[in-house]
Amino acid sequence: MTRRAIVLAAGRGSRLVDGLEPRKGAAKPPPKPLWPVAGRPMIERVLTTAAQAGVTEAVVVIGHRGEALHEILARDHGLTLEVVHNPAADGANGTSLLAARDWITEDCLLLMADHLYPPALLERFRRAEVRRGGCLLAVDARPERCFDLADATKVRRAGDRVVAIGKRLTDYDAVDCGVFRIGPALVEALAQHLAMHGDCAITDGAAALAAEGRLWAEPVGDTPWVDVDTPEALRHAEALLALDDPTIAGVTRHAPAWVRAAAPYDRAHFDDAERAPEAARLMANESPLGPSPAVLAAVAEAAREAHRYPRSSTRLRERLALREGLSAERVIVGAGSAELIDLAVRTFVTPGDEAVIVVPSFSLYEARTRVAGGIPRRVPRAPDGELDLDALAAAVTDRTKLLFLCRPNNPTGHCDPAARVEALLELDRPTVIDEAYLAPDDPRSLRRLLDRYDHLILLRSFSKVHGLAGLRVGYALASGAAVKLMAAVQLPWSLSAPALAAADAVLDEQEEQARRWAAVVAERERLAAALAELPGLSLVGSEANFVLVEVGGLGARRLCEGMQRRGFHLRTVDGHRAEGELLRITAGSPEDGRRCLEALEALLAEVRGG
């Protein structure tokens, strides 16, 4: 996926700016890119959206009153910025793109400083396929939803190819959303048009590519967007970014824009496993060991009382507190660590706030932040896989309300050194450290830091170590103040009676549970050693209950599908913001591990030979 964006912010925007009253105390309206929408300048919204969608560098082309943009462009938007001045900005917008031609040597996004949309639109568009030597255009295939259809650039398609584009089209089936994936081909088309006509608009270059069969369309679905070209469009954008978007019909229009743009957790790997239950489940980091007889007996007994509400979680909290050497007021339990992740977000993040997330990592941190209207600020790890403390410090602003770190990390399995995590805690923001893959007595736990940092929230789970993934039991250790806040947000009875009974039974047999976890760790080590010997695979490592391997040119998805045909559900980790061809394999039973290695070795030989 492309990581560079070209952002055009050079035009006058006279239709908008001339129709607006100057702000109080200002001699004249600000240039169009600086005009605020819902309290934030448009150019800031565009850059922030690009960063949220995974773009890491942007080239901003300025022109008309460009000096006024320097201050805001100097701020940290989560991107590496290059600013280019277009001396011919009074011309059409194609000249601004040509001013940035030195940066368009490969696949780039082309964005306009006055087109607004949620990050979901850009994320999907970044993942779309682009044909070499052509250009891809984001289109809305429901033109009737366009706010200003009379002024919109219309598109006529034949399949996924654009055959005509222009404002004056009368026969069209989509409209241009102002987002492109471009390369040198569009630059060359614009340069030719400029040489022949003395000016060029981006639509001129797009039309030339369409005539040659090199312009394709990518529908953006139901994601809301708006071109802020007039005062009326500005008011529409304000409504879209608030709670009500009049372009969306039915009950959907009453949901906040951030909820409409959110995507549910991707359960495709679970669906695949349910369709083929005979295959070994080595994709979900579950325990291969079923509940012990004592746990099963406790669950069955609790089921006899299913007609009554569950008892309170006080007893479980007290027992967990005793095990951890804390008071019960510093423990909160929930339906798996997933509920506690959601609780942390809903406790601290309001619409417009930011959550800093170390990536690659568990996708639920970002997903729940978005549903709350928050803005995920993803901070990649350093090239050596360690925490990039400088980048994390730079990402924390006044809007940062929460930090997320998974340790050991899913999907890499890396356990960050405690000293580096302490440096992260010194940033003094509520910090969720997810220890779902650590046993309670693991010396690597950061339990000892709880008394030093009252903003530290440690998550634990009964799913991995204790094998209760299907019953959903998790807990958090934090300061009394943090637990009190989260408890006020939590719904009552979030743990069922069987779940509470199972957790109680687990605490009654801690030696048995430790023996079971030791068996899982031993299988993980055996699996990792065997995978490291297979040609074509590179062991990334693991300190959890899975192994992550880099498969390079063999293709992670190809291997995953091949193993599924052989009776093994494995997992690629694209959804975790991980880069590279990575395959994650859960440590299952020794027999499943032996058969998995045999099947994988045979598949690798087949792939290399074919």
Side-chain angles (χ1 to χ4, degrees), residues 9-360:
R12 290 182 176 275
S14 55
R15 293 179 63 212
L16 172 68
V17 175
D18 293 349
L20 294 168
E21 293 292 331
R23 286 180 294 181
K24 188 175 182 180
K28 56 183 177 179
K32 184 178 182 180
L34 290 183
W35 196 268
V37 177
R40 295 176 64 194
M42 283 192 279
I43 182 64
E44 183 182 48
R45 287 189 174 279
V46 170
L47 294 174
T48 301
T49 297
Q52 292 168 8
V55 174
T56 58
E57 59 184 86
V59 179
V60 181
V61 183
I62 61 174
H64 176 67
R65 294 181 61 194
E67 70 284 352
L69 276 69
H70 286 163
E71 178 182 349
I72 198 165
L73 293 178
R75 299 176 188 172
D76 177 23
H77 302 286
L79 298 161
T80 301
L81 282 187
E82 186 79 33
V83 179
V84 177
H85 184 263
N86 175 22
D90 287 339
N93 60 4
T95 63
S96 292
L97 185 58
L98 288 175
R101 67 188 305 167
D102 289 345
W103 284 268
I104 311 173
T105 56
E106 56 186 28
D107 183 27
C108 298
L109 283 167
L110 172 58
L111 311 177
M112 314 298 161
D114 57 359
H115 283 64
L116 302 179
Y117 35 77
L121 184 153
L122 212 52
E123 285 183 329
R124 288 202 294 269
F125 194 62
R126 286 183 64 232
R127 294 177 183 275
E129 179 185 357
V130 180
R131 277 85 159 179
R132 187 177 298 275
C135 180
L136 189 67
L137 170 65
V139 300
D140 191 335
R142 292 177 57 188
E144 69 276 6
R145 298 186 309 174
C146 181
F147 178 73
D148 188 358
L149 186 56
D151 190 60
T153 299
K154 287 84 170 175
V155 172
R156 185 168 69 251
R157 298 171 295 163
D160 62 350
R161 181 174 278 114
V162 175
V163 295
I165 181 170
K167 287 185 181 293
R168 296 185 177 85
L169 282 184
T170 56
D171 179 15
Y172 57 89
D173 59 4
V175 291
D176 168 9
C177 295
V179 181
F180 289 72
R181 290 270 294 279
I182 64 170
L186 181 60
V187 173
E188 294 167 5
L190 288 172
Q192 292 175 13
H193 196 280
L194 178 66
M196 294 176 62
H197 303 281
D199 202 356
C200 61
I202 290 170
T203 305
D204 296 324
L209 292 180
E212 297 171 2
R214 294 194 290 157
L215 180 62
W216 287 271
E218 178 71 18
V220 295
D222 292 330
T223 311
W225 63 279
V226 61
D227 176 5
V228 187
D229 249 349
T230 63
E232 293 76 16
L234 175 65
R235 288 190 284 273
H236 173 68
E238 296 270 4
L240 183 149
L241 293 169
L243 295 181
D244 191 19
D245 176 10
T247 69
I248 297 178
V251 68
T252 305
R253 68 183 301 223
H254 299 289
W258 49 85
V259 173
R260 295 197 300 265
Y265 180 74
D266 185 359
R267 290 183 49 88
H269 53 299
F270 288 106
D271 294 338
D272 288 342
E274 289 169 10
R275 283 190 289 267
E278 72 285 352
R281 292 171 61 108
L282 303 181
M283 81 297 180
N285 300 343
E286 301 158 331
S287 171
L289 304 172
S292 71
V295 171
L296 288 174
V299 170
E301 183 62 29
R304 297 177 183 274
E305 298 287 310
H307 59 295
R308 303 193 186 280
Y309 286 104
R311 66 173 186 261
S312 80
S313 61
T314 300
R315 171 180 163 82
L316 179 57
R317 289 173 50 237
E318 289 174 345
R319 297 193 69 187
L320 289 168
L322 182 64
R323 184 172 74 172
E324 301 289 348
L326 298 170
S327 65
E329 290 72 26
R330 301 186 65 179
V331 181
I332 183 170
V333 297
S337 56
E339 184 194 3
L340 297 163
I341 291 166
D342 184 63
L343 273 183
V345 171
R346 289 191 290 126
T347 299
F348 295 105
V349 177
T350 62
D353 291 336
E354 296 181 352
V356 171
I357 303 169
V358 179
V359 294

Side-chain angles (χ1 to χ4, degrees), residues 519-607:
V520 171
V521 171
E523 175 59 18
R524 178 202 71 198
E525 291 299 295
R526 190 184 73 82
L527 181 64
L531 287 168
E533 296 297 320
L534 292 182
L537 304 187
S538 175
L539 185 66
V540 176
S542 175
E543 297 181 60
N545 68 341
F546 57 83
V547 178
L548 188 71
V549 290
E550 168 69 56
V551 304
L554 298 170
R557 188 163 299 281
R558 181 184 185 184
L559 293 183
C560 198
E561 292 171 352
M563 288 297 288
Q564 189 167 332
R565 290 192 297 271
R566 287 164 168 78
F568 297 90
H569 296 297
L570 309 185
R571 182 92 187 269
T572 63
V573 291
D574 301 347
H576 294 67
R577 306 287 180 189
E579 295 185 355
E581 292 294 329
L582 299 168
L583 196 62
R584 195 186 71 190
I585 307 175
T586 302
S589 69
E591 175 61 17
D592 282 343
R594 182 189 64 77
R595 293 191 307 108
C596 176
L597 288 166
E598 290 177 354
L600 183 56
E601 188 171 11
L603 176 60
L604 292 173
E606 178 184 306
V607 169

Side-chain angles (χ1 to χ4, degrees), residues 448-486:
R448 61 184 175 80
L449 298 181
L450 284 168
D451 291 334
R452 194 182 312 172
Y453 300 99
D454 74 343
H455 55 279
L456 170 60
I457 302 168
L458 285 183
L459 300 188
R460 300 274 184 80
S461 173
F462 279 66
S463 297
K464 318 298 182 188
V465 177
H466 300 308
L468 298 186
L471 287 172
R472 313 306 303 131
V473 183
Y475 62 103
L477 310 176
S479 65
V483 167
K484 184 177 181 180
L485 290 168
M486 293 170 69

